[in-house]
Amino acid sequence: MLRPKIPTNPTPTGVTLPLPVEPTAGAVQHTPAPAPVPAAAVSSRPVVQLTPGALVALVGGGTAVVLVVGTVLVSMLLAVAVTAASVAVCAVVLRSMLNGQHKHR
């Protein structure tokens, strides 16, 4: 009832080569010739060369990004701090009002 299905392997579609046969002990073994050293491949990617002006612009742009991100993060931190302080002040005022009502009764 609950038997697993074992998939069948498809037949190979490409060219298959027979495995090399190991020589016997009585046969003479030849050492293979060293493989030829491949030539250095030429890259099709363009080479990027930075001029001094481009380098200054890159450093200036990076500095501007860091300053903008830092300003945004500091302003978000300041907004959270101001919100927390205002909630704390509201809590103190409400506590004093509730304590004042309990003393008058």
Side-chain angles (χ1 to χ4, degrees):
M1 185 173 121
L2 297 174
R3 293 185 184 185
K5 283 183 123 178
I6 300 174
T8 58
N9 289 334
T11 58
T13 56
V15 178
T16 58
L17 299 175
L19 295 174
V21 179
E22 292 290 328
T24 60
V28 178
Q29 293 183 350
H30 297 284
T31 58
V37 178
V42 178
S43 176
S44 63
R45 293 174 28 185
V47 178
V48 177
Q49 294 180 349
L50 293 176
T51 61
L55 189 61
V56 168
L58 187 64
V59 170
T63 304
V65 167
V66 168
L67 289 176
V68 167
V69 169
T71 303
V72 168
L73 290 177
V74 167
S75 64
M76 288 172 58
L77 181 64
L78 184 62
V80 169
V82 167
T83 304
S86 65
V87 167
V89 167
C90 289
V92 168
V93 168
L94 284 174
R95 184 177 174 187
S96 67
M97 287 174 57
L98 290 174
N99 283 340
Q101 284 182 352
H102 289 297
K103 289 181 182 178
H104 291 294
R105 287 187 179 184

